[in-house]
């Protein structure tokens, strides 16, 4: 075992903003791989909470807010796509290969530091949420089989901890995938899984409506004990929907995989719009059919809350698809963190063997592979920490609401708008400036209210 040749001094990752002459790899991504990456990143844990969110908001506000967030996400993505190349958005020589690099180039070091806090907290939070969701799905498979054997009234009780530990163990292995450019296959598999379980949730909800011979629910949604309780639930539901949509934090990494011509921004805009339209259709179907099937009794997680007991094998299969999807989804949101931290270490310690050397390993039955000591240690520690936090706060809807509300405005709205102003040289108080600033302020108000409601829900869940 030992490093060979140029591996001894080659950096783990190059500078994120590079020029055409410094390309460290050949970009081969297409609109289809981009759509797969986006769907993998967007249709995740969030889709399972949308029936519950619709139940809190009612038949008018629920679907309407989902469509509004879809439109906001498309606008945000289009603004960000133009920030990948600089100075010209179509053919500029400088590539911004990560969200943080784009913020640094357009807005400066101070904004970069603020952005980095939100960005990596958001990515880390998504990883925590995925651990919670995967454990809930594995537990649901156990409970589904128990209910099938013992009857629906049986006390089938299982803990989360062991399943979180198992998911964490899998992620320690999968996290050794080098970067996004080696992940197209994983995203394709994960995207197929997300379509599968979303379709099953939709189908089960539709079948339940047919079985009930009525559409449950109301215009105002679930009733609460007081006006204050209703407000908290509505705000938490908005936070859950906010979590379900934006993927701005990984957009530039996905765009960096695309080949050209045509210009990457054109391909990415088409991919973003297509992916969001597809996911919105699934979101509306899952949210609305789930609410129509269960009304006020809509579970917080459509496929693990046991609104559906039979056919048990289909519920099991759907939850297995969720777990497989989250294996890939966890990596989609974690790879930018890995790249940033490892790139910083490589820059800071260019002569360190621990940081930069790769060592070849050969185990029975699998091809030879290379390990980097820093990558192995850091990524393992990262996975362990997300698993521990998930074990402390295993509250699905509340965690999703907090993460969605906290990160929606700064990452999906504020920074893309500010960078777009600089890129397009839009002056203050022009028509476009006023429109986008108004748009940004409105989204800020929504985010603050949703964050307050979601934190209240998380505290209540922990105390109870």
């Amino acid at each position: 075992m030992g490093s060979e040749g140029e591996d001894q001094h080659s950096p783990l990752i190059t500078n994120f903003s590079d020029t055409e002459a410094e390309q460290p790899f050949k970009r081969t991504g297409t609109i289809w791989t981009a759509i797969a990456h986006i769907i993998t990143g967007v249709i995740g844990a969030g889709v399972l909470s949308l029936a519950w969110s619709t139940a809190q908001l009612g038949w008018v506000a629920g679907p309407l807010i989902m469509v509004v967030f879809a439109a906001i996400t498309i606008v945000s993505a289009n603004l960000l796509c133009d920030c990948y190349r600089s100075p010209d958005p179509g053919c500029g020589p400088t590539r911004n290969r990560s969200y943080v690099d784009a913020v640094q180039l357009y807005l400066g070091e101070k904004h970069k530091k603020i952005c980095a806090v939100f960005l990596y907290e958001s990515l880390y939070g998504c990883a925590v949420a995925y651990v919670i969701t995967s454990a809930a799905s594995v537990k649901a498979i156990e409970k589904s089989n128990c209910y099938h054997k013992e009857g629906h009234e049986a006390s089938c009780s299982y803990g989360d901890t062991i399943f979180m530990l198992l998911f964490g163990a899998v992620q320690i292995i999968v996290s050794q995938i080098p970067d996004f450019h080696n992940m197209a296959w994983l995203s394709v598999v994960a995207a197929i899984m997300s379509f599968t379980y979303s379709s099953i949730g939709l189908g089960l909800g539709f079948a339940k409506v047919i079985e009930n011979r009525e559409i449950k629910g109301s215009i105002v949604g679930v009733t609460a004990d007081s006006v204050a309780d209703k407000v908290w639930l509505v705000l938490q539901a908005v936070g859950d929907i906010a979590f379900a949509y934006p993927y701005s934090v990984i957009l530039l990494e996905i765009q960096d995989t695309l080949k050209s011509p045509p210009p990457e921004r054109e391909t990415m805009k088409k991919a973003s719009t297509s992916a969001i339209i597809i996911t919105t259709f699934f979101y509306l179907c899952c949210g609305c059919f789930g609410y129509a099937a269960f009304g006020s009794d809509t579970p917080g997680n459509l496929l693990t809350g046991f609104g559906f007991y039979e056919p048990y094998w289909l519920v099991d299969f759907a939850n297995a698809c969720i777990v497989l999807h989250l294996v890939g989804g966890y990596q989609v949101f974690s790879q930018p963190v890995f790249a940033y931290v490892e790139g910083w270490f490589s820059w800071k310690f260019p002569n360190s063997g621990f940081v930069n050397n790769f060592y070849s390993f050969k185990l029975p039955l699998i091809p030879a592979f290379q390990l980097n000591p820093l990558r192995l240690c850091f990524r393992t520690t990262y996975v362990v920490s997300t698993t521990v936090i998930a074990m402390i706060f295993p509250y699905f809807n509340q965690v999703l609401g907090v993460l969605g509300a906290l990160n929606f405005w700064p990452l999906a709205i504020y920074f893309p708008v500010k960078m777009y102003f600089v890129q397009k040289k839009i002056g203050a108080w022009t028509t476009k400036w006023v429109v986008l600033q108004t748009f940004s302020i409105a989204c800020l108000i929504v985010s603050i209210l949703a964050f307050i409601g979601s934190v209240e829900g998380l505290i209540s869940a922990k105390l109870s």
Side-chain angles (χ1 to χ4, degrees):
M1 296 184 297
S3 58
E4 299 179 7
E6 62 184 8
D7 280 342
Q8 289 183 340
H9 300 291
S10 61
L12 190 60
I13 189 165
T14 58
N15 184 19
F16 297 132
S17 293
D18 65 359
T19 62
E20 293 290 354
E22 296 171 324
Q23 286 190 36
F25 44 72
K26 183 179 179 181
R27 295 171 173 85
T28 59
T30 65
I31 187 172
W32 301 109
T33 61
I35 289 173
H37 280 311
I38 295 167
I39 291 175
T40 302
V42 177
I43 299 186
V47 68
L48 303 171
S49 70
L50 292 177
W52 180 88
S53 297
T54 305
Q56 311 313 310
L57 296 164
W59 274 120
V60 175
L64 179 62
I65 289 177
M66 279 191 237
V67 172
V68 168
F69 271 94
I72 291 172
T73 303
I74 290 175
V75 171
S76 169
N78 284 345
L79 296 179
L80 205 51
C81 287
D82 285 336
C83 298
Y84 173 62
R85 283 185 180 266
S86 178
D88 183 87
C91 58
T94 301
R95 297 175 185 264
N96 294 298
R97 295 177 56 197
S98 74
Y99 193 102
V100 170
D101 284 329
V103 171
Q104 182 179 29
L105 179 70
Y106 291 109
L107 304 179
E109 189 68 23
K110 181 179 178 181
H111 278 85
K112 174 195 172 183
K113 291 178 180 177
I114 297 171
C115 168
V117 172
F118 280 102
L119 175 65
Y120 296 114
E121 166 270 316
S122 170
L123 295 170
Y124 187 84
C126 286
V128 173
Y130 278 22
V131 176
I132 295 171
T133 311
S134 63
S137 291
V138 178
K139 184 171 72 171
I141 293 173
E142 292 269 24
K143 293 178 72 172
S144 172
N145 292 327
C146 174
Y147 286 134
H148 178 70
K149 293 177 182 177
E150 307 294 336
H152 297 175
E153 304 303 320
S155 57
C156 298
S157 180
Y158 299 92
D160 291 306
T161 303
I162 185 63
F163 304 127
M164 291 184 182
L165 292 173
L166 287 172
F167 185 79
V170 171
Q171 287 301 336
I172 287 174
I173 297 171
V174 179
S175 66
Q176 295 305 309
I177 293 174
D179 54 40
F180 256 124
H181 302 273
N182 301 91
M183 280 184 59
W185 65 272
L186 186 60
S187 281
V188 169
V189 171
I192 292 171
M193 293 300 101
S194 65
F195 271 124
T196 302
Y197 70 70
S198 297
S199 299
I200 291 172
L202 164 61
L204 289 173
F206 181 75
K208 190 74 172 179
V209 172
I210 299 300
E211 179 187 321
N212 294 339
R213 296 185 179 180
E214 65 170 325
I215 295 177
K216 296 184 177 182
S218 65
I219 298 297
V220 297
V222 175
T223 57
D225 294 335
S226 66
V227 174
D229 288 343
K230 178 65 176 178
V231 170
W232 294 131
L233 290 172
V234 166
L235 294 177
Q236 187 178 319
V238 172
D240 279 8
I241 295 174
F243 178 87
Y245 269 109
Y247 63 99
S248 54
V249 292
I250 57 172
L251 186 145
L252 292 178
E253 279 86 356
I254 295 173
Q255 193 167 342
D256 188 49
T257 67
L258 299 176
K259 63 182 178 182
S260 63
E264 298 90 349
R265 66 169 182 162
E266 293 181 11
T267 304
M268 195 65 190
K269 286 180 179 181
K270 291 178 183 177
S272 295
T273 302
S274 300
I276 294 302
I277 290 173
I278 292 168
T279 55
T280 300
F281 171 76
F282 274 99
Y283 281 9
L284 286 170
C285 290
C286 288
C288 293
F289 278 115
Y291 183 38
F294 300 109
S296 298
D297 297 322
T298 303
N301 184 322
L302 189 60
L303 288 172
T304 65
F306 282 92
F308 309 111
Y309 290 95
E310 301 292 343
Y312 80 100
W313 58 268
L314 188 59
V315 176
D316 289 355
F317 179 66
N319 279 294
C321 288
I322 292 172
V323 175
L324 287 174
H325 170 246
L326 295 184
V327 170
Y330 185 103
Q331 289 302 313
V332 166
F333 283 99
S334 298
Q335 285 290 338
V337 182
F338 299 159
Y340 179 77
V341 172
E342 291 162 5
W344 183 86
F345 272 100
S346 184
W347 168 76
K348 190 74 173 176
F349 306 102
N351 299 317
S352 169
F354 179 83
V355 173
N356 295 299
N357 285 359
F358 286 82
Y359 300 91
S360 296
F361 284 85
K362 179 68 176 78
L363 296 177
L365 304 179
I366 62 174
F369 61 95
Q370 291 190 322
L371 281 181
N372 168 264
L374 172 67
R375 178 183 292 168
L376 179 63
C377 295
F378 168 67
R379 296 188 182 191
T380 300
T381 303
Y382 175 94
V383 172
V384 169
S385 66
T386 59
T387 305
V388 170
I389 292 177
M391 289 162 60
I392 297 172
F393 295 101
Y395 311 113
F396 177 74
N397 293 92
Q398 294 84 351
V399 169
L400 263 56
V402 170
L403 291 171
L406 177 63
N407 300 306
F408 172 71
W409 179 75
L411 296 177
I413 309 298
Y414 175 77
F415 288 114
V417 167
K418 293 280 285 186
M419 288 190 288
Y420 184 78
F421 285 162
V422 175
Q423 170 71 278
K424 298 293 185 179
K425 298 180 173 62
I426 296 173
W429 302 109
T430 59
T431 301
K432 186 172 284 189
W433 186 91
V434 171
V435 169
L436 287 175
Q437 286 286 44
T438 303
F439 167 71
S440 179
I441 292 170
C443 291
L444 171 61
I445 293 170
V446 171
S447 291
I448 291 172
L449 293 175
F451 179 70
I452 293 171
S454 299
V455 169
E456 190 278 337
L458 183 62
I459 293 172
S460 297
K462 187 65 176 175
L463 294 177
S464 63

